[in-house]
Amino acid sequence: MVQYLQGQEPKRFSVETGGYLHVSDLFNGCMRQIHFSRTQNVVVVRLTTAAEKMRYEMGNAMEATLRAWLIEAGILLDAERPHLINEEWKIVGHPDGRLKSNLLLEIKAMDPALFKLTKNRLLGYQQFQAELYTWMDSASQILVFCATWGQGRMPFRDHRVRFNLHTIEAVKRALSPLLNAQSGGPLPGRVCKTADTPRAILCPFRQACFQQPSSGQVKTLSEELGHGLFLASAA
């Protein structure tokens, strides 16, 4: 049965229109791949295991439940999720709500193993997303509410994430080549060192990518800001 639960899903930047990137596309995204996808109208997919799909659905259900509780308690301003947009850099984002104090709220539901890792700080992609939301909202901070399921005595915790100029400057550096290419400039740099890397092998633009010139190998934002689950500290 498990094999039937595995599958593929399109990456968001491949199917959403309007020329905007979602915040979640950026952390480990390849700007060269995004450009090829847009100009060649080819959908990029990612492989999903049955375990990943289960965690995703459980996380979605928990986040929806928590939002409903917060709305019922009168803590959130309204039931609609805020729609953040940065026109200059063509980025959109949808945090989970806005508190009555006007502070943005992001809910992160995760399995118990990952939840344990957030005791002192958020996971790297969570921190990155929250920092971008502060920038897009012209705010100094955002509240990230983490939740899990299982046998833990306290399945919730809060993290306040502050605006981080270092992260925003890195995002602008990463996006500039993509926006330049869309205006007729050279292609963004290549993330993969060779065509034989696992990431390159899975890319539908592998042949075209390595046939076209590149200004050199570039890092993804996750690599530039810190490897692994956590972001490196940034002053």
Side-chain angles (χ1 to χ4, degrees), residues 108 110 118 122-131 144 146:
K108 293 297 183 186
M110 63 198 84
T118 66
L122 292 169
L123 303 183
Y125 72 93
Q126 297 169 344
Q127 180 81 14
F128 174 82
Q129 185 180 38
E131 289 174 355
V144 180
C146 299

Side-chain angles (χ1 to χ4, degrees), residues 204-220:
F205 311 110
R206 176 189 182 194
Q207 183 174 357
C209 178
F210 281 88
Q211 287 177 343
Q212 297 290 329
S214 173
S215 58
Q217 187 181 6
V218 299
K219 294 180 179 180
T220 63

Side-chain angles (χ1 to χ4, degrees), residues 26-27 31 89 91 128 132 135 165-177 221 224-225:
L26 299 177
F27 187 58
M31 302 304 155
W89 296 96
I91 308 171
F128 174 82
L132 260 66
W135 171 49
L165 181 60
H166 175 81
T167 297
I168 304 312
E169 289 176 339
V171 169
K172 292 179 179 180
R173 287 194 300 270
L175 285 175
S176 290
L221 281 164
E224 182 172 346
L225 295 171

Side-chain angles (χ1 to χ4, degrees), residues 117-148:
L117 297 177
T118 66
K119 180 178 180 180
N120 298 314
R121 56 179 175 172
L122 292 169
L123 303 183
Y125 72 93
Q126 297 169 344
Q127 180 81 14
F128 174 82
Q129 185 180 38
E131 289 174 355
L132 260 66
Y133 283 160
T134 64
W135 171 49
M136 297 170 70
D137 196 47
S138 300
S140 62
Q141 60 182 317
I142 180 176
L143 181 65
V144 180
F145 184 54
C146 299
T148 190

Side-chain angles (χ1 to χ4, degrees), residues 19-33:
Y20 292 90
L21 286 176
H22 193 273
V23 167
S24 60
D25 293 326
L26 299 177
F27 187 58
N28 199 39
C30 171
M31 302 304 155
R32 195 173 173 94
Q33 183 187 72

Side-chain angles (χ1 to χ4, degrees), residues 44-62:
V44 180
V45 300
R46 63 180 294 269
L47 303 177
T48 56
T49 65
E52 287 175 327
K53 292 173 73 173
M54 179 63 73
R55 286 195 298 268
Y56 178 77
E57 294 299 334
M58 291 180 69
N60 276 350
M62 175 170 276

Side-chain angles (χ1 to χ4, degrees), residues 72-128:
E72 184 179 358
I75 296 174
L76 290 182
L77 279 176
D78 54 55
E80 294 297 322
R81 296 177 65 179
H83 179 73
L84 304 182
I85 185 167
N86 184 297
E87 286 287 357
E88 180 181 1
W89 296 96
K90 299 298 182 183
I91 308 171
V92 295
H94 306 92
D96 289 299
R98 189 181 295 278
L99 303 174
K100 285 192 172 181
S101 63
N102 205 41
L103 192 67
L104 283 178
L105 174 70
E106 178 68 4
I107 302 172
K108 293 297 183 186
M110 63 198 84
D111 67 56
L114 287 179
F115 182 77
K116 289 180 180 179
L117 297 177
T118 66
K119 180 178 180 180
N120 298 314
R121 56 179 175 172
L122 292 169
L123 303 183
Y125 72 93
Q126 297 169 344
Q127 180 81 14
F128 174 82

